[in-house]
Amino acid sequence: MQAFVDFIQGFLDLGATVILPVAIFLLGLLFGQKPGKAFRSGLTIGVAFVGIFLVIDLLTKNLGPAAQGMVDRLGVQLNVIDVGWPATSSVAWASVVAAFIIPIGLFVNVVMLLTKTTKTMNVDIWNYWHYTFMAALVYTISGSIVQGLIAAVLFQIVCLKIADWTQPMVSEFYDMPGVSVATGSTISYAPFIFLIKGIQKVPGLNKLNADPDAIQKRFGIFGDSMVMGLILGAAIGALAGYGAGQIVEIGMAMAAVMVLMPRMVKILMEGLMPVSESARTWLNKRFGDREIYIGLDAAVLLGHPSVIATALILTPVTVLLAVILPGNAVLPFGDLATIPFVIAFVVGAAKGNIIHSVIVGTIMIALSLYMATDIAPIFTDMAKGAEINLPEGSSMVSSIDQGGNLVNWVIWKVFSLFN
């Protein structure tokens, strides 16, 4: 068993930039593509994800220190550190239930496709770690592998159903026909789409519109997405107490994110569309005119400038919320760069309206901080079991990504009633 666990861990350690191209290549062959064409599709998607994660890394390296600077200036003392998704995924894969997740996850997805209970063929195997964390969390409180696996399957089913539900929005707003998103850190905030719809009906609020096109029409060059990135990045640097040089530096970095991310997503779609078309042709021959979506990492949604702009505004808002919310104990840090993933569906539902997205995003982050605080004791026990060193000055750890994940938190609470 340990050898199998080590093999799975070694494969997953290769990351999405290797796993997704391999999955796309095999899918291409399955759907009748010639090996050369399938290989090119997989390679193109791999190159795109390398670019996407380089841009995300640029975002992370700039936002993390800036957030710490804001916290230092406020002089806040919070004893639960947000360790971020990399540490969280390590905690998940260190669990004894980890080896079962990928085969069970693939089986569940195939069964749901065959029974027509989902339209999403989720090739984003790397993000199965969200299911693994769910399983590890329930296993920790119950000591039961079976309960842990049931919890993971429930989480996966919710992810796939929400991926189906949100696919029209992904297709229309993000211009990605045939693509759905089942990433655990994104789908859990899909219920807040209803809050967006509510705001859109409130007199006065429904007239407030600040999508990139509207901003550019009103403010000219200052509404350009690249210039918006520069301004928002510089504002974050100023709030962090940076000097003039560092303010310009973080501003340029955020301008680069706004420009480069859409380019990377465009490359990704170049690789995906041939596979998507082959899948549709193959399925139509065997099952009639049936619609099947290809499930991808939520990183593909980050190419829209409204997503990055909303996330940049929410970064200082998140730090401020951590300070002023009574009962919160979480110090945001590691997962600040995951805010674009958290708000992607909300931005899409708001049709890029940054004002509406920030309003709902603020409510989402507030709830996430409370959930992450609530789950911190058990999260810390899991981290210690995985031999993750606690950050200096903290007594507990948690994360916005999974500790503050709505669906994850609800399933954990349900299982807690019986353990």
Side-chain angles (χ1 to χ4, degrees):
M1 176 62 76
Q2 186 58 45
F4 180 67
V5 172
D6 291 342
F7 171 77
I8 294 294
Q9 185 62 61
F11 178 63
L12 290 168
D13 284 344
L14 296 174
T17 56
V18 174
I19 294 171
L20 277 172
V22 170
I24 292 297
F25 171 67
L26 294 176
L27 277 177
L29 294 179
L30 173 66
F31 294 135
Q33 281 190 321
K34 293 181 179 179
K37 189 174 182 180
F39 177 78
R40 179 173 175 77
S41 290
L43 184 60
T44 302
I45 286 173
V47 168
F49 267 100
V50 168
I52 286 170
F53 288 126
L54 283 174
V55 178
I56 291 173
D57 191 49
L58 179 65
L59 192 68
T60 304
K61 287 181 177 178
N62 282 276
L63 286 186
Q68 189 62 55
M70 284 184 256
V71 169
D72 292 343
R73 293 188 78 194
L74 291 168
V76 64
Q77 297 295 322
L78 298 169
N79 68 338
V80 180
I81 303 296
D82 165 26
V83 293
W85 73 262
T88 306
S89 65
S90 297
V91 169
W93 292 119
S95 172
V96 296
V97 297
F100 303 100
I101 297 301
I102 289 182
I104 289 177
L106 292 171
F107 175 77
V108 168
N109 197 173
V110 169
V111 169
M112 289 183 70
L113 283 167
L114 292 175
T115 57
K116 298 184 179 181
T117 49
T118 187
K119 296 179 180 179
T120 294
M121 180 186 299
N122 190 17
V123 301
D124 185 20
I125 298 172
W126 158 246
N127 274 311
Y128 276 29
W129 77 262
H130 294 100
Y131 314 150
T132 307
F133 184 84
M134 182 76 262
L137 184 63
V138 170
Y139 172 75
T140 301
I141 64 172
S142 68
S144 167
I145 291 178
V146 172
Q147 286 191 44
L149 295 178
I150 290 172
V153 169
L154 288 174
F155 194 9
Q156 180 182 9
I157 290 171
V158 172
C159 287
L160 291 171
K161 297 303 288 185
I162 290 178
D164 291 344
W165 173 50
T166 54
Q167 196 281 330
M169 178 260 289
V170 171
S171 177
E172 293 165 19
F173 179 74
Y174 289 103
D175 194 23
M176 293 187 178
V179 172
S180 63
V181 168
T183 306
S185 53
T186 301
I187 64 93
S188 289
Y189 297 91
F192 290 92
I193 289 174
F194 294 110
L195 196 51
I196 285 287
K197 293 183 182 299
I199 286 177
Q200 291 171 339
K201 296 178 181 178
V202 175
L205 273 180
N206 60 1
K207 300 297 182 183
L208 299 176
N209 186 26
D211 62 55
D213 289 339
I215 293 173
Q216 189 158 11
K217 285 179 182 177
R218 183 163 186 175
F219 297 103
I221 189 173
F222 294 102
D224 182 271
S225 61
M226 181 169 59
V227 179
M228 283 172 57
L230 176 68
I231 294 170
L232 291 173
I236 288 173
L239 290 171
Y242 285 177
Q246 286 180 296
I247 288 175
V248 173
E249 187 176 354
I250 191 173
M252 286 300 297
M254 295 306 104
V257 169
M258 295 288 260
V259 172
L260 294 175
M261 188 64 82
R263 304 288 198 277
M264 296 304 105
V265 172
K266 185 177 179 181
I267 294 172
L268 182 141
M269 292 306 295
E270 288 178 9
L272 181 65
M273 290 314 296
V275 178
S276 182
E277 289 300 322
S278 297
R280 192 168 289 108
T281 300
W282 188 88
L283 289 163
N284 287 346
K285 286 181 180 177
R286 288 158 180 80
F287 302 105
D289 191 16
R290 185 181 170 194
E291 199 169 20
I292 295 291
Y293 313 135
I294 302 227
L296 292 180
D297 191 310
V300 301
L301 305 183
L302 273 55
H304 199 285
S306 292
V307 175
I308 300 299
T310 300
L312 291 178
I313 294 169
L314 284 174
T315 297
V317 169
T318 301
V319 175
L320 180 61
L321 285 173
V323 174
I324 65 174
L325 286 176
N328 171 63
V330 174
L331 176 64
F333 182 68
D335 272 332
L336 284 171
T338 68
I339 292 177
F341 293 83
V342 169
I343 51 89
F345 279 171
V346 165
V347 173
K351 294 181 169 48
N353 188 322
I354 296 170
I355 295 175
H356 292 171
S357 300
V358 168
I359 292 171
V360 174
T362 300
I363 297 170
M364 288 164 49
I365 295 294
L367 292 174
S368 186
L369 288 170
Y370 279 128
M371 289 185 288
T373 297
D374 187 35
I375 212 169
I378 189 71
F379 195 113
T380 303
D381 288 343
M382 292 167 63
K384 289 177 179 177
E387 299 182 350
I388 301 292
N389 293 325
L390 297 186
E392 186 178 346
S394 68
S395 60
M396 290 187 288
V397 293
S398 189
S399 81
I400 292 173
D401 187 305
Q402 287 301 288
N405 182 297
L406 179 60
V407 175
N408 188 79
W409 185 83
V410 169
I411 294 175
W412 168 60
K413 282 297 187 182
V414 170
F415 276 86
S416 296
L417 296 175
F418 303 99
N419 290 285

